[in-house]
Amino acid sequence: MQYRQFGATGVTISRLGFGSMRLPTKEVGDARVVDEDLSIAMIQTALDRGVNYVDTALFYCDGESEVVVGKALADRRDEVSLSTKYPVSNDKSLREVLETQLGKLATDHIDFYHLHGIGAWFLTHEKRDAILADAARAKDEGLIRHLSFSFHDKPEVMAQLIDLGVFSSVLCQYNLLDRANEDALANAKAKGLGTVVMGPVGGGRIAGLPPDVARKAEISVAGSVELALRFVFANPNVDCAISGMSTMEQVLENTAIAANTETLTEAESAGVKAMMEENKRLADLYCTGCNYCVPHCPEEINIPHIFQAMNYLRVYGLKEYAFNHYNAIGGKWVKGKKADLCRECGECETHCPQKIEIRRQLKECLEVFGAAA
Ligand code: SF4
Ligand code: SF4
C-alpha cells in the first residue's frame, strides 16, 4: 500500500480508502439486507492489505452501513481513520445525529466527520452557525477529531467553503471521465486540506466498459479499473481515493493496484488522453449514476439507465449497444420505464447533485431512441 500525508492533519492516509456505500447484500426472506459476514471480511481484508481510511455515512445501505463498519472495526479501531457524515438537511441537530452514529459505529470518536454534500447554499444556511458550533463543541470533547465536508456543487464553490476556515479535509468526485474538480482539488491541497476523491472508477462505468469501447480508447478491458485508479493516484493533489467495494475480488484487485508504485505507462497515458477527448463530448450530459433522482420520479423513469444509453451512443458511437441498453428498460433485468412516460413534473431535477436538466435531456433521448421497445 502507498501512503500520503493527509493535508495538514498530521495523519498518514492510504491512497486507497474503503467506501462502505455499496456493501454486498443477500436475500433474507422477502428482504434484501447487507451481507454482514462478507462485508466484515472485506473490510478486514482491506485493512490487512494496508487500507487505513474507512468511509461511511448515516444513510448508506439503508442505514446498515455504519453498523457493519462498527462491527468490522470492533477490535481494530486504532488502525484506521474513520469517516462518516452528517446530513445537514436532517431534522435533528448535529449533536443528536453524531451521538446516534457513535452508537451505531460502536466507537467513542469519529476521525473525519463530514457535513454531507454541502454546496453554496450552506454558506447562508439558517442552521449554519448552530451546526458549526455543535461541531466545534464535539471537537473540544474529542468526539470528532476533524471536521470535513463532502461536495457535489460547482467546482468554484469548493474554495468558498474552504475559506470558512473550519474544515480539515474535503471529499469530492474525481475520475478520468470527470476532471471538473481538478483545480479545486489543487486549491484545497494548497490550503492544507486533506483531499479524498470518490468515484475513482466512475461509478463502475469505467470498469464496465464494453470491449468495443475499451478497444477504441486503446485500453485493455482487464486493465480499465487499474488505469482508472492509477490515473487518480497519479494526481499529487489527491491524497486518497475511496472506492465503494461490493465484492472480495474488488478488494483484492483495488488493494493490489494501490500497492503498485509504477507510474502510468506510455500506452496507458495515451489511452487516458483519448478518453479525455471523448469526455469533452460528455460535458452536457454527465450523469454519475448516483440514483438520487430515481425514487422521486412518480413515473419510475429509469433516468440514469437512459442517460447511460445516450452516452454509449453519443460518446462512444456504439449504436447497437446503446439501443439494446435503452430497450432493456422494463425487461427482465432492468427496472423502471423509458423516457416516453416522462410527464415533465421536474421532481427529479430538484434531487440531482449534477444539476442536469433532466427533462430536456430525456426529450433528446426520446427523440433518438423513440418510444417503442
Ligand atoms: S420530470 Fe419526468 S423523469 Fe423527472 S420526475 Fe417527473 S416524470 Fe420523472
Ligand atoms: S440524480 Fe442526476 S446524476 Fe444522479 S442518477 Fe439522477 S440524473 Fe444522474
Side-chain angles (χ1 to χ4, degrees), residues 286-293 303-304 307 351-354 356 358:
Y286 184 72
C287 166
T288 61
C290 69
N291 274 313
Y292 291 166
C293 55
I303 300 163
F307 287 171
H351 296 277
C352 177
Q354 303 298 117
I356 292 173
I358 296 175

Side-chain angles (χ1 to χ4, degrees), residues 147-160:
L147 185 63
S148 306
F149 67 105
S150 66
F151 177 81
H152 291 284
D153 206 337
K154 295 197 176 76
E156 57 271 23
V157 173
M158 192 193 291
Q160 296 172 32

Side-chain angles (χ1 to χ4, degrees), residues 281-286 306-307 309-311 313-314 323 326 338-340 342 344 349 356-371:
R281 297 162 60 195
L282 250 178
D284 75 331
L285 182 63
Y286 184 72
I306 293 168
F307 287 171
M310 193 65 164
N311 281 341
L313 183 69
R314 289 206 321 196
F323 272 76
Y326 181 82
K338 300 191 180 90
D340 56 311
C342 172
E344 299 186 44
E349 292 179 13
I356 292 173
E357 293 177 56
I358 296 175
R359 287 171 287 186
R360 182 175 68 77
Q361 301 280 10
L362 282 178
K363 269 191 195 167
E364 283 182 27
C365 294
L366 183 59
E367 275 169 28
V368 171
F369 293 118

Side-chain angles (χ1 to χ4, degrees), residues 15-85:
R15 293 208 307 189
L16 179 71
F18 193 102
S20 313
M21 71 290 276
R22 283 193 285 273
L23 294 174
T25 58
K26 63 178 181 184
E27 279 179 19
V28 176
D30 290 341
R32 217 166 166 90
V33 298
V34 171
D35 185 333
E36 262 194 35
D37 292 343
L38 178 55
S39 299
I40 291 169
M42 283 166 51
I43 294 169
Q44 294 188 343
T45 300
L47 266 52
D48 292 342
R49 294 167 73 95
V51 168
N52 73 1
Y53 188 88
V54 177
D55 177 79
T56 181
L58 186 67
F59 296 129
Y60 285 172
C61 307
D62 291 329
E64 288 185 75
S65 173
E66 288 183 328
V67 176
V68 175
V69 167
K71 288 180 183 174
L73 301 183
D75 297 321
R76 308 183 66 170
R77 179 65 186 86
D78 295 342
E79 294 176 35
V80 299
S81 287
L82 177 58
S83 150
T84 192
K85 312 186 186 79

Side-chain angles (χ1 to χ4, degrees), residues 314-336:
R314 289 206 321 196
V315 181
Y316 303 114
L318 296 169
K319 194 171 175 194
E320 192 182 341
Y321 189 87
F323 272 76
N324 287 343
H325 197 74
Y326 181 82
N327 286 327
I329 297 171
K332 188 175 174 191
W333 304 110
V334 185
K335 284 193 291 192

